[in-house]
Amino acid sequence: MWYNPVNNIILRWGAMMNAAEFEKIAVSKKYHNIFYTSIPEGMKVFRSPDAILGFDVGNGEIFMGCVSGNAFIKLFNSSKEDVADTRGDFEIKFVPEGIEFMLLKNGFYPESEFVDYWLDDLQKFSSNLEFKNRIEIQEDFNEEMAHEISASCEGMSRGFRGETVKTLSEWKGQKKRYGMFLFSDRKAVGFMMLGIYTGSSGSVLWIREIAVRPDYQSKGFGRQMLVKALLWGKQEGASKAFLAVDVENDNALSLYESLGFCRKIEGRGQINMSVTF
């Protein structure tokens, strides 16, 4: 443990502050980004009376809770030198709107903004699309092969970095989580993460990611995979389908809207920002 009496900042490593303790403190603050995610163990944690930051060095993510944007920036500026030697950039997902402007003023930049798109009545969905490629939906899928396809698309849409093998393994380990592969030229060229979960209105098909190798894009493979997923979800009894898309990903938005997806809630989406040291 390291203590800075001037700024009243405490630094803890790893098990000295476990994930449950960190989450409890973070969500007690007015602003936090603890949504739809599990807090990793072993983070590099900084804490002041008004803020708490956790740096997940392995995945390049920052988890946080603070009473104000000023409190966040004060703690961040006091701690960034201690993590700058671990990696060159970090991302904050689910940035609260109340501190977004303060982050922009202090070196953070927009990474992406995801909004939710829904297909309300999946049981009415139908398609005459001809599937010209072999498509497989697998529960015990090859996460190395999936990572290779996903990583090949890094940077092709705003904020897309590709899925790590660790993330894919964690996804595969959950109940009703699947991987889909599309094959062409005797190799896997497309990948999708999809799952089924129970929502307030019934079973929902969740399409988490669609990736097609750059050399195989603009051939209709993404549409084939999406239609296949929707028909599969319908067969599995899902009543709705859900996915998230960046507001500036025009090609993806056109594809989703052509199949009946629509945005249900106006306003801001999931704001993600990054910082480079």
Side-chain angles (χ1 to χ4, degrees), residues 30-184:
K30 181 178 180 180
Y31 304 107
H32 66 83
N33 70 335
I34 314 301
F35 298 100
Y36 315 113
T37 187
S38 57
I39 307 301
E41 299 287 357
M43 292 191 301
K44 197 169 190 179
V45 177
F46 298 83
R47 182 182 177 188
S48 71
D50 295 327
I52 186 168
L53 297 181
F55 290 84
D56 179 7
V57 175
N59 290 314
E61 288 190 43
I62 299 174
F63 297 87
M64 50 73 66
C66 61
V67 300
S68 67
N70 281 326
F72 173 90
I73 292 300
K74 181 179 179 181
L75 181 57
F76 176 79
N77 286 338
S78 299
S79 58
K80 64 183 180 181
E81 289 186 4
D82 200 73
V83 296
D85 60 343
T86 60
R87 64 180 298 142
D89 63 316
F90 283 88
E91 180 183 18
I92 305 182
K93 297 178 180 178
F94 294 100
V95 174
E97 284 188 58
I99 68 170
E100 179 189 7
F101 181 67
M102 184 61 68
L103 268 63
L104 286 169
K105 285 178 60 179
N106 287 271
F108 287 79
Y109 55 90
E111 181 81 8
S112 57
E113 183 175 339
F114 288 102
V115 292
D116 295 345
Y117 267 64
W118 289 86
L119 185 62
D120 274 340
D121 193 345
L122 183 56
Q123 289 302 309
K124 290 184 178 179
F125 177 79
S126 63
S127 175
N128 295 320
L129 181 69
E130 180 182 356
F131 296 104
K132 299 180 179 180
N133 297 80
R134 178 165 60 97
I135 299 176
E136 296 180 2
I137 297 174
Q138 304 170 356
E139 190 169 11
D140 185 21
F141 63 88
N142 185 324
E143 57 263 46
E144 292 283 353
M145 185 164 65
H147 163 69
E148 183 182 345
I149 297 170
S150 180
S152 72
C153 300
E154 181 176 3
M156 298 201 70
S157 63
R158 191 175 69 149
F160 186 75
R161 300 185 176 189
E163 301 291 350
T164 65
V165 173
K166 178 183 177 183
T167 299
L168 290 162
S169 296
E170 291 172 350
W171 174 265
K172 187 171 74 170
Q174 299 177 59
K175 187 178 180 181
K176 293 188 177 181
R177 298 292 186 264
Y178 306 88
M180 172 193 287
F181 292 101
L182 180 143
F183 295 84
S184 180

Side-chain angles (χ1 to χ4, degrees), residues 179-199:
M180 172 193 287
F181 292 101
L182 180 143
F183 295 84
S184 180
D185 297 334
R186 298 183 180 181
K187 68 178 181 180
V189 300
F191 173 71
M192 177 187 288
M193 297 169 70
L194 68 165
I196 300 283
Y197 70 90
T198 302

